[in-house]
Amino acid sequence: MAFWSRKKKTRSSFAIPIAVGNVETVGYTKLSDNPDVLIAVDKIADLVSNMTIHLMENTDQGDKRLKNQLSRKIDIEPYRNMTRKSWIYKIVRDLLLDGDGNSIVHIGIDSQTTFIEDLTPLPMQAVSYEDINGGYLINYNGLTYSPDEVIHFVLNPNPLYPYKGTGYRVALREIVKNLNQMTKTKNNFMSGKYMPSLIISVDALTEELASPEGRQEVMKKYFDETEGGKPWIIPADLIKVEQVKPLSLKDIAIIEGAELDKKTVAGLIGVPAFFLGVGEFNKEEYNNFINTRVYAIGQVISQTLTRDLLFNPNWFFRLNPRSLYSYDLTEMVSSGTQLIDRNTMRRNELRDWIGLDPDEEMEELIILENYIPSNMLGQQNKLSGLSSSQVSESDNKNKEEITDPPNIAENLDENETVSKVSLNGAQIQSLLSIVQAVAAKQLEYESAITLITSAFPFDEGTAKEILGNPNNLVTEGGDVNE
């Protein structure tokens, strides 16, 4: 069945003027000329474009990934002249810069198969919008498109025209102007024009200083004619030479002002300030940036693709951000090992995490001894009253580490009530310790019942069954209390 089966629509023949940017109110400002804005936008676009696009299906067992012709088209080759990374990068850059919160992708349909042929991003500088009753039209190079012929990505919806997005041009205009001016000031300052290494004091009454030519003549006469490395010989009463310490950018407070504006740019666009050179890298701040800003833009893209491309109500697109987080190999192995121990994933999945090839012997699900079904608790060797030699033989056979329990475990033989509740090894050992304490008369029988019913999911009757007859409890030495 075709993924897209719409008939080709007739284009209007009247001419549409081409607009260049959104210049209606505040004028056109090219934000991409500012390096700080470009760094911030590039970082977001680069990270979002690194996320793979998954086609998912909602089922009763949860969301499952689908792999078919449509999923390959979107994730591998959405447009014949672009990869998925460059395609997503263009969309995100349009949303943040060139498109002022908008990005338009035209849906091309193969007339033979009615499948999606190409998803072509339009240059946003040549796109304009036309309001109509109950909707809008998109004008591009003399052609008019309706919204169902394109994919319209929107960031920061306009309060008056919700179908359009809004960019950061107005908010960043003055800040970028300040940063550009600071750059010019820094360049002029670093050129050396305003920070001479020497100050020469000359008698102002000298006639030669009355004109620029005279001052140049003094310089030439006393300084230019002296070869490098040789001392200067000058009149004592005519000229005085002093060495001064040049001013730095910190002295003129340009660094503090630049850092403040950089933080404002970072806050508006939504990146950590250390991307713009303010402060040091912070792992928690970076991961929060992935969870908020990058994930939010990924949601905009995935939800728009789902709305404009899919007809199946159980299908949806999802951008996977897991690979973007900042974690080292040790953290990855540690978290994967914990999932394997709890029977949540296979070892081959962990090998895929760390970039290793799958191994046939690591496809099985494994589990620790203590993580067993609740209905098998009574079948554990530690509750079966085996002798030390029997336990040792079982260890050699099964290669499992089992400790020799005290004989008080006989009180729990064939106790089906315990097996109905899921207890781990530590809880069982604690329960046995209570029984042992009662047998050794270190704990009162009634107190033990209260303790068991409070600490474990047992009622009083079950607690008495676990403790058994208080007159026939077996101590560690094998003696019977009577």
Side-chain angles (χ1 to χ4, degrees):
M1 180 180 177
F3 296 115
W4 192 265
S5 56
R6 185 192 298 113
K7 295 182 179 179
K8 189 174 181 181
K9 296 193 175 182
T10 305
R11 301 280 183 249
S12 56
S13 58
F14 58 90
I16 302 294
I18 297 178
V20 181
N22 182 10
V23 298
E24 298 164 301
T25 307
V26 298
Y28 184 77
T29 304
K30 197 173 182 181
L31 296 179
S32 58
D33 286 342
N34 182 268
D36 295 302
V37 174
L38 188 59
I39 289 172
V41 172
D42 174 76
K43 180 58 66 174
I44 294 178
D46 182 62
L47 289 173
V48 174
S49 62
N50 283 337
M51 292 192 287
T52 55
I53 304 176
H54 294 173
L55 176 61
M56 309 295 296
E57 181 179 17
N58 186 275
T59 67
D60 294 336
Q61 290 76 33
D63 299 332
K64 296 182 179 180
R65 183 179 180 183
L66 298 178
K67 296 182 180 179
N68 53 30
Q69 188 176 353
L70 176 61
S71 65
R72 173 180 172 79
K73 180 64 180 177
I74 302 301
D75 191 48
I76 304 298
E77 46 181 4
Y79 176 48
R80 71 182 69 176
N81 297 324
M82 303 176 77
T83 62
R84 182 252 304 161
K85 179 174 177 61
S86 58
W87 188 72
I88 292 291
Y89 188 99
K90 168 72 165 60
I91 292 173
V92 177
R93 182 185 169 97
D94 284 345
L95 291 174
L96 298 173
L97 269 183
D98 304 323
D100 282 334
N102 300 273
S103 182
I104 305 294
V105 175
H106 176 254
I107 303 173
I109 305 299
D110 188 332
S111 59
Q112 301 295 328
T113 63
T114 68
F115 286 175
I116 296 176
E117 182 177 21
D118 268 324
L119 299 175
T120 308
L122 302 182
M124 294 307 298
Q125 292 83 353
V127 172
S128 62
Y129 307 95
E130 179 182 345
D131 296 316
I132 60 176
N133 292 331
Y136 68 101
L137 298 175
I138 299 168
N139 302 321
Y140 170 72
N141 276 358
L143 298 175
T144 301
Y145 298 96
S146 62
D148 62 347
E149 295 180 275
V150 299
I151 306 174
H152 187 181
F153 300 94
V154 174
L155 187 67
N156 305 328
N158 189 300
L160 299 179
Y161 306 98
Y163 63 84
K164 288 196 302 185
T166 56
Y168 302 96
R169 188 181 311 278
V170 177
L172 290 176
R173 183 182 182 188
E174 292 299 324
I175 299 173
V176 170
K177 181 179 178 181
N178 292 341
L179 288 172
N180 292 337
Q181 184 59 47
M182 289 180 186
T183 301
K184 294 178 182 179
T185 303
K186 181 183 67 174
N187 292 337
N188 290 335
F189 187 81
M190 298 301 294
S191 65
K193 181 178 181 180
Y194 301 106
M195 52 178 189
S197 58
L198 293 176
I199 294 181
I200 302 175
S201 175
V202 182
D203 187 359
L205 299 178
T206 304
E207 295 181 358
E208 293 174 318
L209 299 180
S211 63
E213 294 78 7
R215 291 190 292 271
Q216 186 64 30
E217 187 66 26
V218 172
M219 288 287 296
K220 182 178 179 181
K221 180 177 181 181
Y222 294 104
F223 303 104
D224 291 350
E225 295 179 355
T226 303
E227 297 181 4
K230 292 185 179 181
W232 292 353
I233 301 176
I234 56 177
D237 297 331
L238 179 64
I239 299 176
K240 181 180 179 182
V241 180
E242 293 183 1
Q243 183 177 5
V244 296
K245 179 181 178 181
L247 293 174
S248 65
L249 294 175
K250 194 173 185 64
D251 294 328
I252 60 177
I254 196 173
I255 293 180
E256 289 79 0
E259 288 184 353
L260 183 61
D261 287 338
K262 286 174 181 284
K263 288 181 179 179
T264 305
V265 171
L268 282 172
I269 299 180
V271 300
F274 56 76
F275 282 146
L276 305 185
V278 180
E280 298 181 354
F281 175 81
N282 184 287
K283 181 178 179 180
E284 293 182 358
E285 186 178 359
Y286 173 81
N287 286 336
N288 181 67
F289 163 64
I290 299 297
N291 283 328
T292 54
R293 187 56 165 167
V294 174
Y295 180 77
I297 295 179
Q299 285 289 89
V300 170
I301 295 175
S302 62
Q303 292 178 12
T304 305
L305 289 174
T306 300
R307 180 197 65 189
D308 293 343
L309 293 182
L310 299 180
F311 289 107
N312 192 322
N314 295 323
W315 288 8
F316 64 94
F317 286 105
R318 182 177 69 186
L319 272 68
N320 181 25
R322 187 178 64 83
S323 62
L324 304 183
Y325 293 105
S326 175
Y327 37 59
D328 54 32
L329 185 61
T330 303
E331 293 175 331
M332 192 180 303
V333 172
S334 176
S335 60
T337 302
Q338 294 180 21
L339 293 174
I340 291 173
D341 290 344
R342 284 156 179 79
N343 207 25
T344 307
M345 67 183 295
R346 291 177 168 83
R347 288 169 290 173
N348 271 338
E349 294 177 276
L350 176 58
R351 291 174 65 88
D352 180 64
W353 280 14
I354 59 180
L356 298 178
D357 294 334
D359 190 328
E360 295 181 358
E361 298 180 356
M362 295 190 178
E363 190 61 26
E364 285 186 335
L365 290 170
I366 62 174
I367 194 168
L368 293 180
E369 177 195 2
N370 287 337
Y371 302 103
I372 61 177
S374 60
N375 59 2
M376 298 182 63
L377 285 176
Q379 301 178 21
Q380 296 182 91
N381 288 336
K382 62 180 67 179
L383 298 180
S384 63
L386 296 176
S387 63
S388 298
S389 61
Q390 290 174 316
V391 173
S392 178
E393 292 176 1
S394 178
D395 287 347
N396 295 333
K397 182 178 180 180
N398 300 319
K399 297 182 180 180
E400 296 180 350
E401 182 180 356
I402 303 178
T403 58
D404 184 15
N407 291 333
I408 59 172
E410 295 175 357
N411 291 311
L412 300 181
D413 283 349
E414 301 177 358
N415 188 356
E416 296 181 357
T417 306
V418 176
S419 66
K420 294 178 182 178
V421 181
S422 178
L423 299 178
N424 58 33
Q427 290 174 318
I428 292 175
Q429 290 297 329
S430 300
L431 188 59
L432 295 176
S433 298
I434 295 175
V435 178
Q436 181 181 359
V438 174
K441 296 185 177 181
Q442 298 175 350
L443 182 65
E444 294 292 337
Y445 186 82
E446 296 298 331
S447 299
I449 293 177
T450 304
L451 182 59
I452 292 174
T453 56
S454 301
F456 299 92
F458 300 130
D459 55 20
E460 183 176 345
T462 304
K464 289 181 179 180
E465 291 179 10
I466 293 174
L467 291 174
N469 190 339
N471 297 323
N472 295 322
L473 291 176
V474 181
T475 61
E476 274 191 53
D479 298 329
V480 178
N481 290 330
E482 296 181 356

